[in-house]
Amino acid sequence: STYEYSPCRNAAGQCPNAAGGSDTAMCRQTSKTDSTLCHVIANYDATIAPKFSLDNNGTWTFVYNNGDTDNCNGPRALEIKLVCNELAGDYAVISAGEVDACYYHFDMESKWACAGHVYNASTSSSLSGGSVFLIVLTVLLFAYFALGWLLCGCIHHKERGFCDPINNIPNVTFWMKLPSLVVTGCRVTKETLLSLCHKNVNQVPPNYLGNGANDNYQNI
């Protein structure tokens, strides 16, 4: 048998049910030699609380009694024993199998089972691409204005003093004209788009407007 398991979500696959549909599963059983074999062993349930013990520096036991009932007296059950192992990563399956009729047991190791480890899905140690771009842009702008101020204040306009904000801002004429240039660019873009729209409307062939009762596919 092949066991597929997706922790904390029903993403292990689907199995057909008696109603003609399919059921999702957190853990399912299939077979490479029998394509008709497919059992939902367990579904994820956030309300199920695990049992914890200090064995092996941390052992968690989850029991799910909510699998399918195919060829069983009740729902299939899955017991997962999660044992602490700092080197196991998120999780590693040590053994898995059906230990009794319709009762399955998985032995697994995980660093998250160890005492003191707390998983926080919203915490990330890396910066996103957008954050890196904003940081680089901020540094470049600061360097541009700082070095430009020093250059203007100490060399080009030193007779006017280092604290003259109008003359020491680098390319001050460009920055003063920038707002009006942006407004002008927006107006030109708007007028260009409007002229293109009017041009396309005027180029519609007369036959597309129809001829009343004589309209047919040949006119089109």
Side-chain angles (χ1 to χ4, degrees):
S1 294
T2 300
Y3 299 98
E4 298 171 80
Y5 172 65
S6 57
C8 303
R9 62 190 188 280
N10 291 332
Q14 298 180 345
C15 287
N17 55 33
S22 59
D23 296 325
T24 58
M26 178 185 70
C27 181
R28 73 170 183 168
Q29 177 187 15
T30 57
S31 174
K32 295 182 178 179
T33 58
D34 185 0
S35 60
T36 63
L37 177 63
C38 187
H39 295 310
V40 176
I41 298 177
N43 285 296
Y44 177 65
D45 186 351
T47 63
I48 294 178
K51 295 180 180 179
F52 175 74
S53 70
L54 292 175
D55 297 342
N56 301 308
N57 196 33
T59 300
W60 302 80
T61 303
F62 298 80
V63 179
Y64 298 90
N65 292 292
N66 56 9
D68 64 34
T69 58
D70 188 23
N71 298 324
C72 296
N73 294 327
R76 297 178 188 273
L78 172 63
E79 179 182 355
I80 300 175
K81 182 172 288 186
L82 207 59
V83 180
C84 167
N85 185 343
E86 295 277 0
L87 304 178
D90 288 337
Y91 73 93
V93 178
I94 305 303
S95 63
E98 187 175 5
V99 296
D100 201 354
C102 301
Y103 193 90
Y104 302 80
H105 181 86
F106 287 10
D107 280 319
M108 307 174 66
E109 293 180 346
S110 172
K111 67 179 182 179
W112 302 113
C114 302
H117 279 271
V118 178
Y119 178 72
N120 187 353
S122 62
T123 301
S124 175
S125 58
S126 61
L127 294 174
S128 64
S131 299
V132 173
F133 172 76
L134 290 176
I135 292 174
V136 172
L137 181 62
T138 302
V139 172
L140 291 177
L141 287 175
F142 177 79
Y144 166 77
F145 283 105
L147 294 177
W149 187 289
L150 290 173
L151 185 63
C152 292
C154 298
I155 299 177
H156 297 304
H157 306 294
K158 60 181 180 180
E159 72 280 357
R160 300 181 182 180
F162 186 77
C163 298
D164 186 357
I166 300 299
N167 293 293
N168 289 339
I169 295 177
N171 303 110
V172 62
T173 304
F174 167 78
W175 294 112
M176 293 178 66
K177 291 183 177 181
L178 181 62
S180 61
L181 293 175
V182 172
V183 173
T184 303
C186 293
R187 289 177 179 173
V188 172
T189 303
K190 176 184 176 183
E191 293 174 358
T192 303
L193 293 176
L194 290 176
S195 64
L196 290 175
C197 292
H198 289 309
K199 181 179 180 181
N200 291 334
V201 171
N202 293 332
Q203 290 179 349
V204 175
N207 286 340
Y208 281 106
L209 301 178
N211 295 316
N214 295 324
D215 285 349
N216 53 46
Y217 287 107
Q218 293 179 352
N219 291 333
I220 299 176

